[in-house]
Amino acid sequence: MSILVSGAEGFLASAMTAGTSETPDPESFLKERETASSYQVDLVPLNSLKEWHLSDRLRHSSGRFFTVEGLSVHTNFGSTPQWCQPVIVQPEIGILGILVKRINGVYHFLMQAKMEPGNSTLLQYAATVQATPSNYQRVHGGRSTPYLTYFLEPRPQDIIFDQILSEHSSWYLHKRNRNMIIEIPSDEYIPMEDDFAWLTLGQLRKLLAQGDCVNMNARTVLACISYAMAGGLNSGDRIGSGFHASVVESHSVQTSDSDVSSAMTWIIDQKVRFNLDVRRISLRDMDAWVCDDLDIRHKDGRYFQIVGLSVGADSREVGTWSQPMLQPNPGNVVAFICQRRSGVLQFLVQAMAQPGSTDRLELAATVQLTPGDYSGPQDLPPLAEYLSCDDSWIRVNAVQSEDGGRFHRADTAHLVINIPEDHSIEAPENYRWVTLGLLNRLMRFGYYVNVETRSLMACLL
Amino acid sequence: MSILVSGAEGFLASAMTAGTSETPDPESFLKERETASSYQVDLVPLNSLKEWHLSDRLRHSSGRFFTVEGLSVHTNFGSTPQWCQPVIVQPEIGILGILVKRINGVYHFLMQAKMEPGNSTLLQYAATVQATPSNYQRVHGGRSTPYLTYFLEPRPQDIIFDQILSEHSSWYLHKRNRNMIIEIPSDEYIPMEDDFAWLTLGQLRKLLAQGDCVNMNARTVLACISYAMAGGLNSGDRIGSGFHASVVESHSVQTSDSDVSSAMTWIIDQKVRFNLDVRRISLRDMDAWVCDDLDIRHKDGRYFQIVGLSVGADSREVGTWSQPMLQPNPGNVVAFICQRRSGVLQFLVQAMAQPGSTDRLELAATVQLTPGDYSGPQDLPPLAEYLSCDDSWIRVNAVQSEDGGRFHRADTAHLVINIPEDHSIEAPENYRWVTLGLLNRLMRFGYYVNVETRSLMACLL
């Protein structure tokens, strides 16, 4: 579907470009915006949250935004056949959109310095627009959303990517957002708002490598970028060298329709094999969880808590507010194992059922590790031993935040481990080697690649 | 994605072929199989169903097969913002598969004469395999499923179609089946079991036009057939004449990637616009519904009932059994309005949210009418007035059964209305004109075309 990978050569050129005359120094810009605003974020008891009420579920008095509810889960995926947990329910489909524009021939990305109260590093680069209908229809009486109109009625020829993709399915129930990349014609004037800056993909890549500078919602949109060019790479393409050159090749190696069909059939096999049955229940009916005026927590302190957060800020839609947040136990890891196989870099993915998945399972990275989920080393997921591999195998190693609008201090180590060609590795039946090009094509069909993995793919650009 | 429409020219040739030396007279074969078996189907009170228990939900003592549960629905689609209803929950993904084989160059379909207790016409042609994992893993100790192995591990090159598609989303919660068309090489021997016969698509088309001869599960698989050929139709292709020739053209007219993208973006717009929030609740908590020993029914007799059925038969997996069934009020209609536009026959579809949809909404036919849902003429859905159009506009008019394994006497009138080119028609914003070729391409991506519409598409082959 050639039209869907339009812009590939432009993205690659942008990835090879550091600063231009149109871009600020990305770190200085963040620092400057940080000093322009002040924030105060405090943990508070749930019963002190204004307008939020805890009964069978935790809800806002307007009935909008989101609720925290109980979930009863039955599945034959993994080692635990049944459990209860709190889950965030937010049926709205938000827009996560990035505007791009060719300036002097190079794609620039319109990024926003945005404060999210849950993030360990409060101010990070976000997508141009990150808004739910509640936001942009201004339910909470906030400011209007800049640049929104570019995403509400784009001209068909300006759409580079447009698909509904899943969010974090261990913590959200059936949550999904519309991921969009929209191109503004290079001769079209666009006003610059405070907090916004043009960055090249080269600059974004550097920020992604550092960690904690590009927020989750920007990463999921960036992950939709394809380097797959009609006709493959030309020898003249500037693809850099070393590992990054292999990544670009893995994007742009020819993926045939039959590769896609055969991956689809394999994914369908996994959907038939693994089952998942979820039921929304009262928070009061969750086995092993405690709900009180303070928070919602597991009786043994495992997994995560639902806490209250009070926020004072002047750079967000409204000045001060308070809300519940999901605060995971620390130590989350998402890791890809990759290896050059049949002459091209391939990544080991797994079909993974997660309780909040819209369609039962999606492809996940090789290892998704939440330490709180495991009672001891015997419970570790397959291939977790590679997390302590030789340092020389590690190509990406950065800590990134999850969505700081819903999750508090959710810091996930992002790792890419490149194992030598002569190293042999055995994986269970629900694992499969794929190129980045194949992952990108599947992503264009909908719910095929989970958000943790897409976040990792952004770090591989 | 050319590989996915393999077989198109073979299907068209088969559609133009009446009987061959390999096929029986289709109606005589059905009659003959009917006399070879005896059936006894009786309505019985729910509390007399062996092994079924009614409490918060209606369930089998094994915990398998399916349950009937309460559903609370909130949506901004349609005129009713909130309601409760019973719903069938069956998380298993079954296989609906048809084996095809070129015999003397013409595709033949291996069809099974199958009794389904809920159908008004008990014995109809079914797919080669129609089985849930519970069936084929023989939970109820029945007979083995003939031809199953062809679908469990097909050779990649033999797969003509393989996708998980939705079932009836007003009555089932998130139910989906794996629809497969598998080709057996023409030189491969395949043993013929009792109750099975080879039919050409020409014969199936005739049975579909008569109505009540090809069951729901066969129709959803047949609907996956594409007449779209690489390079379009040749002048030598035998495409018949008149309306059928227009249908074949509507299948095979070039659908560009940009047509697909633009349809996708439009569908995403509808998903953002319409919301759907469902919650499984106790049958006892459903407003306006009565559950007792006899059945589960709406207090005003509207919509449908859950009834008990006792079945005696000797041609199914087990000899006798009893089970709950959903029995809708009579009068269901599914209708396409089509019109030659820009030189090609196009069909008016709507984006329709249904409570059991896996992903909120799918494309539906122009009119889906369930009389019990409407309290009077003022509540009729848009364009329902075309159902009483001039007879000369009607191209398809047949009554077909829904899945007779779960639904009792669910007979749906299938109509295709071809309006003159000079007739102008106005439809709401969530309606769109599409070719059959575009619908077929969307179907290959997953949950884009609902089962009622696919059933109608089978009648258009």
Side-chain angles (χ1 to χ4, degrees), chain A residues 215-339:
Chain A
N215 82 3
M216 181 70 219
N217 290 331
R219 295 200 304 282
T220 161
V221 181
L222 292 171
C224 303
I225 287 175
S226 170
Y227 291 144
M229 275 152 280
L233 287 173
N234 297 314
S235 55
D237 289 318
R238 296 178 297 162
I239 60 164
S241 62
F243 185 70
H244 189 243
S246 302
V247 163
V248 173
E249 276 171 353
S250 186
H251 259 282
S252 54
V253 66
Q254 184 70 41
T255 306
S256 71
D257 292 332
S258 122
D259 295 335
V260 176
S261 298
S262 124
M264 285 271 204
T265 284
W266 180 81
I267 292 168
I268 291 171
D269 285 339
Q270 310 306 312
K271 285 187 184 169
V272 172
R273 178 177 162 204
F274 295 113
N275 56 51
L276 176 69
D277 189 32
V278 300
R279 181 185 297 272
R280 290 155 73 175
I281 61 173
S282 168
L283 287 170
R284 311 295 184 182
D285 293 337
M286 294 188 301
D287 287 343
W289 290 80
V290 180
C291 297
D292 60 24
D293 287 347
L294 183 64
D295 58 20
I296 304 173
R297 60 191 177 275
H298 187 264
K299 68 177 176 48
D300 301 328
R302 295 174 68 185
Y303 313 111
F304 58 79
Q305 302 162 255
I306 305 294
V307 299
L309 219 65
S310 151
V311 187
D314 56 37
S315 76
R316 217 167 189 265
E317 290 83 359
V318 288
T320 62
W321 75 95
S322 65
Q323 67 168 93
M325 286 243 171
L326 187 153
Q327 177 177 287
N329 287 1
N332 276 356
V333 180
V334 55
F336 255 144
I337 290 175
C338 62
Q339 185 176 42

Side-chain angles (χ1 to χ4, degrees), chain A residues 57 91 162 265 279-280 360, chain B residues 91 162 265 278 280 360:
Chain A
R57 40 186 162 158
D162 183 13
T265 284
R279 181 185 297 272
R280 290 155 73 175
R360 190 168 300 200
Chain B
D162 182 14
T265 283
V278 299
R280 288 155 73 174
R360 190 167 301 200

